[in-house]
Amino acid sequence: MLNNPYKIGNQAQMPTFSGTPYPAYPVPTAITNKMVPMQPSGSTLPPTGTGLQTGVNVPGLPMEESYIENILRLNLGKMATLYMTYENNSQWNAKIFKGKLEAAGRDHIIISDPATGMRYLLLMVNLDYITFDEELNYYYPYANRK
């Protein structure tokens, strides 16, 4: 077939991943020469628990690389100062929050003000940086530690 960019000479057919031709972007058909999107036939993700995992397994943390939420989880209970920016806000563009680090997720941080007991749920998307008054617990995921 002359118009097949994936088959040259005696090469095998285009490789597949989970039954879906790879790469999964529209390709012209031989009959109409119009772009037709490919339809995945089943899941393109490997089943849960399979595949490669990288990083270090720190007890109590998901096995991941050095992400902000993992560093924060290693330092729960410490006092932190969070510098946040809020675009297009007419009242305040930047705000500083200080409090005890209660929890951290992929997209949020929870701190509490020890003086008032007020808790703040802050979004990571607004986070600029964080400072701590004490040494941080931190395990670099690629270090050979015992």
Side-chain angles (χ1 to χ4, degrees):
M1 178 173 172
L2 290 175
N3 291 338
N4 187 344
Y6 303 106
K7 188 173 182 182
I8 300 172
N10 291 331
Q11 286 183 342
Q13 285 189 326
M14 177 173 43
T16 62
F17 177 74
S18 297
T20 303
Y22 177 82
Y25 53 79
V27 295
T29 63
I31 299 170
T32 63
N33 206 23
K34 291 184 180 177
M35 299 298 272
V36 177
M38 295 181 156
Q39 298 295 324
S41 60
S43 174
T44 57
L45 297 175
T48 304
T50 64
L52 298 175
Q53 292 183 339
T54 60
V56 168
N57 188 8
V58 177
L61 297 180
M63 188 163 182
E64 296 178 0
E65 287 84 19
S66 179
Y67 291 115
I68 293 172
E69 68 265 21
N70 288 343
I71 297 168
L72 293 175
R73 287 181 194 136
L74 288 170
N75 293 281
L76 295 179
K78 294 187 178 184
M79 290 297 293
T81 304
L82 292 85
Y83 297 84
M84 313 286 280
T85 304
Y86 301 91
E87 293 183 32
N88 301 320
N89 189 317
S90 60
Q91 293 180 345
W92 37 264
N93 184 354
K95 191 157 175 123
I96 299 171
F97 295 89
K98 187 168 180 99
K100 184 173 133 185
L101 194 54
E102 298 283 335
R106 189 165 283 195
D107 65 347
H108 66 279
I109 303 169
I110 299 174
I111 62 170
S112 63
D113 183 349
T116 64
M118 176 73 77
R119 286 189 166 74
Y120 297 93
L121 173 63
L122 304 169
L123 301 180
M124 288 275 198
V125 70
N126 301 114
L127 179 66
D128 292 325
Y129 64 97
I130 304 172
T131 60
F132 293 86
D133 294 333
E134 58 187 296
E135 188 174 334
L136 292 177
N137 295 321
Y138 179 70
Y139 301 107
Y140 190 66
Y142 305 110
N144 292 328
R145 60 185 180 99
K146 296 177 183 178

